[in-house]
Amino acid sequence: MLIKSAALAILTAAIPANGAGCHPTWSSGSDYFTGSLVSATITKKSTSTASDGTVTETTTSQTKNFKCTSGSQSSLSHCPNYDPSNAVQQAAAWSDQGVCSGTATAALTTQAPTTKPSPSRWTNEGCPEAWTSDGSYEGGDLVELDGNVYSCSTATGANLWCGLEAYKPGDSVHWEQAWKLLGSCDGTIRPTGTIRPTTSPAYSSLEDHNGCPVEFDASATYEA
């Protein structure tokens, strides 16, 4: 069929009047992590051919809100680098929240306080050393905080989180990704190994030689 002409029609998809307001536009490299909200414009092109051979190219654009689903903090998230307007990258890091228009009302969000656990008694005696921020921990290491015992996760790489304030055991939003609660404790863990009791030295009585011998002289020569 002979195509007589190609007409370009640029159409903008209608936005529902009751659509949600748009969050700030996604910006590459910004501080995004799980729960971060952004907007992005999705553009699609399609072509159709009329009975007379005329080809019409249609471009439709929609602005949508997206919610980050990757990483509990920006350094662990794909969202700062994955563009939600790109279908492949969107699928890997973003959740489509639907069409939006205008500007979303800024909501004052107050993070709910974390509920500190009240666990049962730890099976071992005493408490391990206290957790410290920026400490270096290996998988399986034990710490104490607020009278509770926690074990650093043995999952690959998770121990790198165990010393971070964002993963403070029992007192942060994401602590369960890095720590396992073992129970409550008090006192200190007894040192391992056998500790021998100290005793006073036993002295042998010497034959009385009418007083003490001559004082030791380091420069003198002595015979057995």
Side-chain angles (χ1 to χ4, degrees), residues 107-113:
L108 295 177
T109 56
T110 302
Q111 181 174 297

Side-chain angles (χ1 to χ4, degrees), residues 120-206:
S120 57
R121 188 75 177 176
W122 188 36
T123 54
N124 291 11
E125 293 185 7
C127 297
E129 293 185 3
W131 176 84
T132 57
S133 180
D134 295 327
S136 178
Y137 295 102
E138 297 296 331
D141 283 355
L142 301 178
V143 299
E144 176 275 333
L145 189 66
D146 296 330
N148 294 323
V149 181
Y150 300 87
S151 174
C152 180
S153 174
T154 56
T156 303
N159 66 295
L160 301 177
W161 299 340
C162 289
L164 300 179
E165 191 70 28
Y167 295 86
K168 183 178 181 180
D171 194 21
S172 60
V173 175
H174 307 292
W175 71 268
E176 290 175 299
Q177 297 180 25
W179 294 97
K180 179 180 180 181
L181 175 62
L182 301 181
S184 62
C185 69
D186 59 24
T188 56
I189 296 178
R190 294 180 180 178
T192 58
T194 302
I195 300 177
R196 300 181 182 278
T198 57
T199 57
S200 299
Y203 298 100
S204 299
S205 298
L206 300 177

Side-chain angles (χ1 to χ4, degrees), residues 3 6-9 44-50 54-60:
I3 299 176
L8 177 63
K44 295 182 179 180
K45 292 184 178 182
S46 61
T47 59
S48 61
T49 304
T54 301
V55 176
T56 302
E57 182 178 275
T58 303
T59 300
T60 60

Side-chain angles (χ1 to χ4, degrees), residues 83-137:
D83 187 346
S85 66
N86 178 294
V88 175
Q89 296 180 6
Q90 176 195 132
W94 296 95
S95 172
D96 188 339
Q97 303 294 294
V99 177
C100 66
S101 63
T103 303
T105 301
L108 295 177
T109 56
T110 302
Q111 181 174 297
T114 56
T115 301
K116 294 185 180 181
S118 299
S120 57
R121 188 75 177 176
W122 188 36
T123 54
N124 291 11
E125 293 185 7
C127 297
E129 293 185 3
W131 176 84
T132 57
S133 180
D134 295 327
S136 178
Y137 295 102

Side-chain angles (χ1 to χ4, degrees), residues 212-224:
C212 297
V214 177
E215 185 176 353
F216 171 77
D217 183 354
S219 62
T221 301
Y222 296 96
E223 294 183 358

Side-chain angles (χ1 to χ4, degrees), residues 49-74:
T49 304
S51 58
D52 63 355
T54 301
V55 176
T56 302
E57 182 178 275
T58 303
T59 300
T60 60
S61 298
Q62 284 185 323
T63 300
K64 290 186 172 183
N65 282 328
F66 296 90
K67 185 176 183 179
C68 178
T69 59
S70 167
S72 58
Q73 52 185 314
S74 58

